[in-house]
Amino acid sequence: MPAAPAALVILAAGQGTRMNSDLPKVLHKVAGAPLLVHAMRAGAALAPERTVIVAGHGAEAVAKVARDWDEGAEVVIQAEQKGTGHAVAQALPALEGFRGKVVVLYGDTPFVRAETLETMLSVAADVVVLGFRSDPATRYGRLILAEDGALERIVEYKDATGAERAVTLMNSGVLCADAALLADLVGGLTNDNAAGEYYLTDVVGAARARGLGARTVTCPEAETLGVNSRADLAAAEAAFQAAARSGAMSDGVTLTAPETVFFGFDTVVGRDSIIGPNVIFGPGVTVESEAEIRGFCHLEGCHISRGASVGPFARLRPGAELAEDVHVGNFVEIKNAILDEGVKVGHLTYLGDAHVGERTNIGAGTVTCNFDGVMKHRTEIGADAFIGSDTMLVAPVTIGAGAMTGSGSVITRDVPDGALALGRAVQVTKPGLAAKLFEKFRAAKERRRKEAE
Ligand code: UD1
Ligand code: CA
């Protein structure tokens, strides 16, 4: 954590024309989280005293996402997009009274690492800009250095001369400066350039003109990947997944077929867990160590404890909590349900709004009937119970510890501890009747065949 206080400004007002979308660009998702949330997460690592989001296009939706993620985030509106410098100017009133460094991030640049931002804060210069090396064919702003390696100015591609375009040190857009200085420099910007915009990048030249110092910090190009189109979004997803897969493997997780596993932005998997092929992690999944997720599982908002095994073909939805050594088998769906240690749910089952006690066995085809068409209701099952195959548990209902339900039962009333509940029609057996019926049906079929001849 940096010693000096920091504030964060994230620019997210742009329309993102090239996305060809009604959704504001920064709300398009990578690994299940809006681009804006990725930027906010990176910035949050600086423990900023203030976070200001500059919104414009789709401001209401952008503000909601920002506040859902960080209650303390302040959202300011840039009604007209007159450039990145103008956007930062809109954030200044929200920084009133703040003393310390301001880090400016772009909401469409999701992969900047917290460590890189920390490095920027640690550099002793009036203005610090994050740069990266790339191909001269790209249209980024160019970082022009002085002989001594200091940053002289930034020139936008549109405004650059041939010689300047040949420079391969690019502007990522991430910039850091003392709050009072930034306010001063932004206040002096003009829009006398090819785009007719107030460029934030011009603060570097302005600082140098006052005899102040500017420096660069560089990072790999992958960190500064900006999303401007759907193709960029897909490239960002691919880059995220590639990094998440190799990250998981170096953390000691076995991925049987890494290229088929998709992680969420916040997935956590413990050491010596095994993830089979075609497993999809939505947001909010934590898996402890030594668990096994077999092929074709879909998981979101759930917790899987040590030693548990899930799948193949299981779906864990938000609020599914599996204690140690729980086994969830194929074609099982679990939502908002706690399964205590050693519970077994092997096959074809839906458990929703439920609690299942230790070591209980849930038979194939069991359904917690949790929805009455209007409201959701809970099912409570005690420890060491046995739920027979194809039991319908009509909630609200409680099954006691050590209780049993007979296969095919529809259970509508509570079952006390140790009791057996049967809720199904009594079996009737008619000796010889099947044989007679077969004979009759076959004869009918034969008659029909002859008639058709
Ligand atoms: C900007 C930089 C360029 C850099 C590139 C890196 C400037 C002038 N140029 O160019 O040097 O190489 O990023 O990706 O800063 N935004 C607003 N309000 C505005 C304009 C932009 O909030 O009025 C936001 C956008 O939503 C976006 C970010 O600022 O999140 C960057 O704007 P964009 O127009 O994409 O800048 P670039 O042309 O990519
Ligand atoms: Ca951009």
Side-chain angles (χ1 to χ4, degrees):
M1 206 183 286
L8 192 65
V9 172
I10 302 182
L11 306 189
Q15 180 172 21
T17 316
R18 278 177 288 161
M19 293 299 285
N20 189 11
S21 173
D22 287 339
L23 193 68
K25 176 165 78 175
V26 295
L27 298 190
H28 282 269
K29 289 179 179 175
V30 165
L35 294 170
L36 177 62
V37 168
H38 286 269
M40 289 179 77
R41 266 164 67 90
L46 302 175
E49 235 169 58
R50 297 189 197 180
T51 298
V52 185
I53 313 291
V54 182
H57 280 277
E60 237 173 78
V62 170
K64 183 174 186 320
V65 166
R67 293 207 188 96
D68 282 353
W69 181 256
D70 173 3
E71 275 179 0
E74 190 155 343
V75 179
V76 300
I77 305 294
Q78 185 195 25
E80 252 185 288
Q81 282 70 58
K82 297 182 187 169
T84 49
H86 181 258
V88 171
Q90 311 314 301
L92 295 175
L95 293 172
E96 198 62 56
F98 167 76
R99 304 218 180 296
K101 286 185 177 180
V102 178
V103 175
V104 179
L105 293 182
Y106 290 171
D108 65 352
T109 307
F111 298 143
V112 181
R113 287 166 57 240
E115 293 81 349
T116 302
L117 298 179
E118 276 160 12
T119 305
M120 288 181 71
L121 282 178
S122 72
V123 171
D126 298 300
V127 179
V128 181
V129 172
L130 181 64
F132 62 98
R133 293 279 169 194
S134 187
D135 190 286
T138 58
R139 302 173 69 88
Y140 293 107
R142 276 20 184 195
L143 301 184
I144 311 296
L145 303 185
E147 301 256 297
D148 63 354
L151 178 60
E152 191 75 53
R153 64 202 162 84
I154 306 178
V155 56
E156 286 306 293
Y157 182 84
K158 281 183 192 159
D159 303 296
T161 62
E164 288 164 342
R165 288 182 180 182
V167 168
T168 58
L169 186 59
M170 310 301 175
N171 175 30
S172 71
V174 184
L175 179 145
C176 163
D178 171 76
L181 174 64
L182 184 68
D184 211 18
L185 294 173
V186 164
L189 291 175
T190 62
N191 62 351
D192 180 18
N193 53 53
E197 288 184 358
Y198 295 89
Y199 291 162
L200 176 62
T201 46
D202 284 347
V203 301
V204 171
R208 295 288 287 198
R210 295 188 190 186
L212 299 171
R215 299 209 69 89
T216 59
V217 166
T218 53
C219 69
E221 186 171 5
E223 259 188 69
T224 64
L225 188 148
V227 174
N228 294 306
S229 64
R230 306 268 181 172
D232 289 345
L233 189 69
E237 182 73 45
F240 179 93
Q241 295 303 338
R245 290 163 191 153
S246 55
M249 291 188 284
S250 48
D251 289 347
V253 177
T254 293
L255 303 181
T256 317
E259 64 287 359
T260 68
V261 175
F262 288 81
F263 288 98
F265 69 102
D266 58 353
T267 305
V268 177
V269 184
R271 199 161 164 268
D272 285 323
S273 279
I274 299 173
I275 313 293
N278 298 292
V279 172
I280 313 284
F281 292 92
V285 180
T286 48
V287 180
E288 293 181 12
S289 57
E290 292 165 50
E292 184 173 5
I293 316 293
R294 300 171 78 183
F296 297 93
C297 287
H298 194 285
L299 317 174
E300 60 183 314
C302 61
H303 177 78
I304 297 167
S305 301
R306 189 189 181 92
S309 68
V310 178
F313 298 100
R315 178 161 184 221
L316 302 190
R317 293 171 50 205
E321 275 189 46
L322 278 48
E324 292 192 9
D325 301 321
V326 163
H327 169 65
V328 169
N330 45 226
F331 307 108
V332 171
E333 174 181 342
I334 299 179
K335 182 216 76 169
N336 188 31
I338 296 171
L339 276 52
D340 288 345
E341 198 173 328
V343 164
K344 289 188 166 46
V345 194
H347 342 257
L348 298 160
T349 289
Y350 172 63
L351 296 179
D353 305 310
H355 180 191
V356 183
E358 292 178 345
R359 295 173 301 277
T360 282
N361 189 304
I362 308 285
T366 295
V367 174
T368 53
C369 310
N370 60 329
F371 187 49
D372 60 13
V374 179
M375 285 199 302
K376 299 281 172 65
H377 302 281
R378 290 191 60 80
T379 300
E380 303 284 342
I381 303 175
D384 300 302
F386 179 88
I387 305 300
S389 292
D390 198 30
T391 297
M392 298 293 117
L393 296 160
V394 182
V397 71
T398 298
I399 310 294
M404 272 188 185
T405 67
S407 296
S409 289
V410 178
I411 302 295
T412 56
R413 279 170 293 161
D414 291 353
V415 180
D417 291 358
L420 165 69
L422 280 175
R424 63 188 189 206
V426 175
Q427 181 172 328
V428 179
T429 308
K430 311 256 181 189
L433 185 57
K436 265 187 215 154
L437 285 174
F438 275 131
E439 206 174 302
K440 190 173 148 193
F441 296 159
R442 288 189 184 113
K445 190 178 175 190
E446 183 61 14
R447 266 200 311 282
R448 200 170 296 173
R449 193 184 61 78
K450 280 196 177 133
E451 277 163 23
E453 271 178 7

